[in-house]
Amino acid sequence: MKFVKIFILIALFCSGNVFSQKILKHKIKSGESILGLALKYKVSEKSIYELNPKTKGAILRLNEEIKIPNKNFKEKEKKSKKELAAEKKDKKESLKEAKDKKTVVVAPKEATIVHVVLPKETLYSLAKQYGITKEALCEMNPELKTSNLKKGAKIKVPNHEATTLKVDDDTSSKPEKVEVTKMDDVVSNVDVVHKVLAKETLYRISKQYGVTVADLEKLNPGIENGLPVDYLLIVKKGIHSAPEEIADSIANIPKEVAVDVKNIPVGNLAKAEFLIGKASEHLGTHYRAGGTTSAGFDCSGLMFNTFKNVNMTLPRSSYEMATYGIRIDRAHAQKGDLIFFATFGHRRISHVGMITEVSNDGEIKFIHSSTSTGVIVSSTREPYYIRTFVQINRVITE
C-alpha cells in the first residue's frame, strides 16, 4: 500500500513537471521518424522542424536528442507594468471612495455557471430554461457552433442569482437596496458597449465586465493614445444591445439609396486585388468572436486585419464600418468594396464582407468570416444573403 502511494506521488510529480515545460526532449530510438514523433506527441511536423532545423532532410541518429513542442504547455499570464500601475491606482481610488462614502461593497457572484448536459436536452430546451436565445448560448460556448450538444458536456449558462449588494453604514447594517444583475439583461446578439465616464480606466472597466485589459485593447484599437470621456468602448462581442447613440445611427437603413453617379469615386482595382489575395490566404480559418488574427476571425476582424496590409485602419465593428467610406448603389459595386448585411433582422447591420467578384448579370461574390464555416467566399444569390443585404461602401479609391 505504501509503495502504491509513493508511485502515485511520483506519477503526479512527473505529469506536473511535463505540463510546466514548454519544450520536451526526446531521444531517438531505432526506427523512429519525425512523422512518427509528430503523431506520437500530437503536434505538426513543421513545429518539430522549427525547433530542430538541422533534422530537415537528414537521417535521424540513434540516441539523438530532439526537441518537441509541448501542446499541453500553458504560459502563465503576466500583467504588464501598465496593468499593474492601473491596478494600483484603482485600488487607491476605491479605498478613497469607500472612506468618503462609508460604503461596503459585496462582490457580485459569477455572471455565468456551468451546466452539465443531461440526456435528451437540446439547445432549444436549454435556451428556454435559462431565458436566452440559442444564438446567445452559442456565443457563450463557441464550440457549439461546430459540434452537436453531447450528453455530459459542460457548457456556460447565465447565472440568474448574480447580485451586487451595496450597504450604507450610516443608516443600517442591512442592505437597503439589492441591485440584481441578470444575464437576461446583458445577453443578446450584438456587442457590449460601455460609455466611458470621467476618471474611468481600462483596468476598472475590465474588472467590471470580467475581461482583461488586453482584450479591451484588441477590440478597441483606437485607444492607444488614451481613453476619452464618452468614448463608446466595445467590451465584448455579441452579448449586449448596442447603445442608443449607435443604434439610432444604424437602424432602419433603407434598402436602396439614390446616389449621384458623378460623385462616386473609382475604386483602386490594383489595391483591391492585393487585398483580396491577402484575405484569401485565410480561407478555411475558423470563426472566433473578437478574433483579428489567423488563430480565428469574426467578420469585422477579418476586414480589420486585411486592410491593415495597406495601412488602412478600419473601425472594429461591422456597424461602425458601415459609416466608413462612401455608400454606393449596388449597380456600381466593384472588387474591394465592403458589403454589409443585417443578419439579426430589423435592418441593423451586423455582418460585413469584401467583394471579390462582380458578374455582368448582377451576382456579387464576397469573402467573409461566417459563424458556421469560418472564412469563405459566398454569393449574393444565396437566399440568406438576398434576404439580409443592406448596403455597399467604397473604402479604397484611386
Side-chain angles (χ1 to χ4, degrees), residues 110-112 130-133 136-137 139-140 157-160 162 180-193 208-209 235-242:
E110 291 294 327
T112 60
Y130 289 97
I132 60 174
T133 64
L137 199 57
E139 290 296 339
M140 296 175 70
V157 295
N159 181 8
H160 294 293
V180 181
T181 305
K182 293 186 177 181
M183 283 299 291
D184 299 50
D185 301 329
V186 298
V187 177
S188 72
N189 292 322
V190 287
D191 300 343
V192 175
V193 181
Q208 180 180 342
Y209 289 94
V235 178
K236 290 183 182 178
K237 295 296 292 181
I239 55 170
H240 200 295
S241 298

Side-chain angles (χ1 to χ4, degrees), residues 159-210:
N159 181 8
H160 294 293
E161 296 180 356
T163 59
T164 302
L165 306 180
K166 192 172 183 180
V167 183
D168 191 337
D169 288 344
D170 292 338
T171 56
S172 172
S173 59
K174 295 181 180 180
E176 283 188 348
K177 183 180 180 182
V178 178
E179 298 174 359
V180 181
T181 305
K182 293 186 177 181
M183 283 299 291
D184 299 50
D185 301 329
V186 298
V187 177
S188 72
N189 292 322
V190 287
D191 300 343
V192 175
V193 181
H194 176 86
K195 191 172 184 178
V196 178
L197 303 176
K199 297 184 179 180
E200 276 195 316
T201 62
L202 280 179
Y203 177 80
R204 176 173 291 185
I205 296 170
S206 72
K207 291 301 178 185
Q208 180 180 342
Y209 289 94

Side-chain angles (χ1 to χ4, degrees), residues 3 22 27 34 43 114 129 140 157 167 204 208 214 256 273 290 292 297 300 323 338 341 345 373:
F3 174 77
K22 188 173 183 179
K27 282 191 177 181
I34 295 296
V43 295
V114 175
Q129 178 181 342
M140 296 175 70
V157 295
V167 183
R204 176 173 291 185
Q208 180 180 342
E256 297 294 340
E273 292 285 2
T292 59
F297 294 100
S300 56
T323 64
L338 295 182
F341 303 88
T373 52

Side-chain angles (χ1 to χ4, degrees), residues 116-333:
V116 179
V117 178
L118 301 175
K120 297 184 179 181
E121 281 189 322
T122 63
L123 275 179
Y124 175 78
S125 66
L126 290 175
K128 190 173 181 181
Q129 178 181 342
Y130 289 97
I132 60 174
T133 64
K134 290 189 291 183
E135 291 79 7
L137 199 57
C138 288
E139 290 296 339
M140 296 175 70
N141 303 272
E143 66 275 9
L144 296 180
K145 295 177 181 178
T146 55
S147 61
N148 295 326
L149 194 65
K150 297 179 180 178
K151 173 187 172 183
K154 295 180 179 179
I155 63 172
K156 293 179 182 177
V157 295
N159 181 8
H160 294 293
E161 296 180 356
T163 59
T164 302
L165 306 180
K166 192 172 183 180
V167 183
D168 191 337
D169 288 344
D170 292 338
T171 56
S172 172
S173 59
K174 295 181 180 180
E176 283 188 348
K177 183 180 180 182
V178 178
E179 298 174 359
V180 181
T181 305
K182 293 186 177 181
M183 283 299 291
D184 299 50
D185 301 329
V186 298
V187 177
S188 72
N189 292 322
V190 287
D191 300 343
V192 175
V193 181
H194 176 86
K195 191 172 184 178
V196 178
L197 303 176
K199 297 184 179 180
E200 276 195 316
T201 62
L202 280 179
Y203 177 80
R204 176 173 291 185
I205 296 170
S206 72
K207 291 301 178 185
Q208 180 180 342
Y209 289 94
V211 297
T212 66
V213 171
D215 288 337
L216 292 176
E217 290 177 334
K218 186 187 293 184
L219 291 174
N220 302 272
I223 60 174
E224 293 91 347
N225 299 322
L227 196 62
V229 175
D230 293 334
Y231 184 85
L232 297 177
L233 189 76
I234 298 175
V235 178
K236 290 183 182 178
K237 295 296 292 181
I239 55 170
H240 200 295
S241 298
E244 292 182 0
E245 295 90 336
I246 295 176
D248 290 343
S249 66
I250 59 177
N252 302 317
I253 299 173
K255 188 80 173 181
E256 297 294 340
V257 170
V259 179
D260 186 351
V261 178
K262 294 179 181 179
N263 294 330
I264 299 177
V266 178
N268 188 325
L269 293 179
K271 190 176 287 187
E273 292 285 2
F274 172 75
L275 290 173
I276 292 168
K278 284 295 181 182
S280 299
E281 291 175 2
H282 300 295
L283 284 169
T285 300
H286 69 271
Y287 179 89
R288 173 183 282 181
T292 59
T293 69
S294 56
F297 294 100
D298 61 14
C299 63
S300 56
L302 177 64
M303 297 300 102
F304 181 83
N305 176 286
T306 300
F307 279 78
K308 278 281 190 181
N309 289 289
V310 291
N311 297 319
M312 186 181 293
T313 303
L314 296 180
R316 184 55 191 87
S317 63
S318 56
Y319 55 76
E320 288 178 311
M321 285 184 189
T323 64
Y324 192 84
I326 299 172
R327 184 173 176 181
I328 62 172
D329 189 271
R330 181 170 177 165
H332 304 293

